[in-house]
Amino acid sequence: MRWTFLHILQFVWILFLLAFAVALLVACTSNEELILGPADGPSADSAPQNSFAEKNASDTIYVHDTVVVYKDTVDKEVEIKSSYTSFIYRDSANHLDTVLRESSRLTCNMEEESFTCKYAMQPLINPVPEYKKVEFHLDSAPVVVLMDTIYKDTLFRNTFTKKYDTTFINYGDNRLTDYIPPEYVYDLGEHPFDSTAMRDFFDTLDVRDPQLGRNNRFVVNSKLSFTGFPAVVMRVENAYEFADLVDINRTWPAKRRVIAREYVFENFNMKSDSTVTWTLGFMHYENGVGEKDSIQVTTFFKVK
């Protein structure tokens, strides 16, 4: 076969087409490996880290909410019952005053001719509501909100009213007693006045010793006065007559504590034995009142 110029030109064109087809096939294979990765799959280090939006770019997230529709509305009266205790007492000006407290916080001890009540001062604590906040980030992912309608028959619109159930201790038609407590009573402490103990102490005093044989002092929860008592120097400590007891709770009647007083005797100046009858005055505390009273005391002063 004789090759002409036309035959050579056709052969070159066929080779060019074959080379182009091979190059196109190689290029497609390289792009597929670049997109899909090697046939064995990507390693953990080489795997691409796609974002949440990229992973769910084609997803639709549905969020359901609820709408409640009531067919009817009814007004409903709700009664709240509260139990209270009430009584009257005399204040510092001897005027009647009224106490009204919740029965759950008031503790009263009833006796035949008296009663005491104590109120617990509990602080009111308002609970702090807890709010739950749900947060989610969808980036650019589409969200569809669906409103689900629920029908109910009746909406009860409540009206609250209070009903007081009161127990009247010492007044009113159904009172429990007629006793009216004073504003306060005295707590006589550890050393109340005892007339027998006072007479025993002053029965005989050995004045040869300036300290009466180290028995020249005593403590009493009362204010004393000495009339006709000879040749003695007294020193009084704790000069307050009374003080209120500290109590975070309110008590009826309130308690007041009589402050203890220490009486010290010294510097006797007697030359012979003698017997002296004199008057010991004291403050008598009872039912919120301090009243003065006295006793007669006979003392033998021993000199020899």
Side-chain angles (χ1 to χ4, degrees), residues 156-175:
F156 291 99
R157 187 166 51 193
N158 295 331
T159 301
F160 297 94
T161 59
K162 290 185 178 181
K163 180 180 180 180
Y164 298 98
D165 182 15
T166 305
T167 300
F168 298 94
I169 293 182
N170 59 353
Y171 74 100
D173 296 336
N174 298 320
R175 60 183 177 272

Side-chain angles (χ1 to χ4, degrees), residues 50-61 137-142:
N50 295 333
S51 64
F52 178 83
E54 291 174 346
K55 291 181 179 180
N56 299 276
S58 61
D59 295 338
T60 299
I61 299 177
H137 302 278
L138 301 177
D139 296 334
S140 59

Side-chain angles (χ1 to χ4, degrees), residues 33-304:
E33 291 181 355
L34 179 62
I35 294 174
L36 301 179
D40 296 339
S43 64
D45 297 334
S46 62
Q49 301 297 325
N50 295 333
S51 64
F52 178 83
E54 291 174 346
K55 291 181 179 180
N56 299 276
S58 61
D59 295 338
T60 299
I61 299 177
Y62 294 89
V63 178
H64 287 260
D65 204 346
T66 302
V67 175
V68 180
V69 178
Y70 294 95
K71 298 178 181 179
D72 192 11
T73 301
V74 176
D75 292 332
K76 183 179 180 181
E77 186 173 340
V78 180
E79 191 176 78
I80 302 176
K81 295 182 179 180
S82 300
S83 297
Y84 285 84
T85 301
S86 183
F87 59 89
I88 57 175
Y89 75 103
R90 296 190 182 277
D91 60 15
S92 57
N94 204 31
H95 297 157
L96 294 181
D97 199 358
T98 304
V99 173
L100 178 65
R101 294 291 187 273
E102 300 94 329
S103 300
S104 60
R105 295 187 182 185
L106 192 67
T107 302
C108 294
N109 297 322
M110 304 291 300
E111 299 179 5
E112 291 184 2
E113 297 182 355
S114 65
F115 71 88
T116 59
C117 291
K118 189 172 184 178
Y119 182 70
M121 301 291 292
Q122 299 177 356
L124 298 178
I125 301 177
N126 295 324
V128 179
E130 296 182 359
Y131 297 96
K132 295 182 178 180
K133 185 177 181 181
V134 179
E135 295 184 357
F136 54 91
H137 302 278
L138 301 177
D139 296 334
S140 59
V143 177
V144 177
V145 179
L146 300 179
M147 304 300 289
D148 298 328
T149 302
I150 297 179
Y151 291 94
K152 292 189 177 181
D153 291 334
T154 306
L155 168 64
F156 291 99
R157 187 166 51 193
N158 295 331
T159 301
F160 297 94
T161 59
K162 290 185 178 181
K163 180 180 180 180
Y164 298 98
D165 182 15
T166 305
T167 300
F168 298 94
I169 293 182
N170 59 353
Y171 74 100
D173 296 336
N174 298 320
R175 60 183 177 272
L176 304 179
T177 180
D178 293 327
Y179 172 74
I180 299 177
E183 180 193 21
Y184 57 82
V185 295
Y186 286 105
D187 180 3
L188 300 183
E190 299 179 358
H191 308 281
F193 182 86
D194 186 341
S195 58
T196 301
M198 289 293 100
R199 285 191 172 97
D200 291 342
F201 178 87
F202 289 107
D203 180 77
T204 300
L205 297 179
D206 189 350
V207 297
R208 294 173 298 180
D209 183 353
Q211 295 185 354
L212 306 182
R214 301 188 182 278
N215 190 30
N216 65 330
R217 66 182 61 203
F218 61 86
V219 177
V220 63
N221 291 89
S222 186
K223 185 177 181 180
L224 304 182
S225 63
F226 302 83
T227 303
F229 191 80
V232 62
V233 176
M234 293 174 292
R235 183 172 71 250
V236 180
E237 299 181 2
N238 299 328
Y240 294 101
E241 185 175 345
F242 57 77
D244 292 336
L245 291 175
V246 178
D247 192 352
I248 61 174
N249 299 317
R250 181 68 190 273
T251 303
W252 292 272
K255 287 187 178 181
R256 285 187 169 180
R257 176 170 39 218
V258 181
I259 295 299
R261 301 168 185 268
E262 184 181 34
Y263 290 86
V264 181
F265 304 87
E266 57 187 12
N267 295 334
F268 284 82
N269 187 15
M270 287 189 175
K271 296 181 180 180
S272 61
D273 296 344
S274 61
T275 300
V276 179
T277 299
W278 53 281
T279 301
L280 175 62
F282 63 96
M283 182 70 74
H284 177 64
Y285 300 96
E286 185 176 359
N287 294 330
V289 179
E291 297 180 350
K292 292 183 179 180
D293 203 347
S294 62
I295 60 174
Q296 295 295 316
V297 179
T298 299
T299 302
F300 174 65
F301 293 92
K302 184 176 182 181
V303 177
K304 298 181 181 179

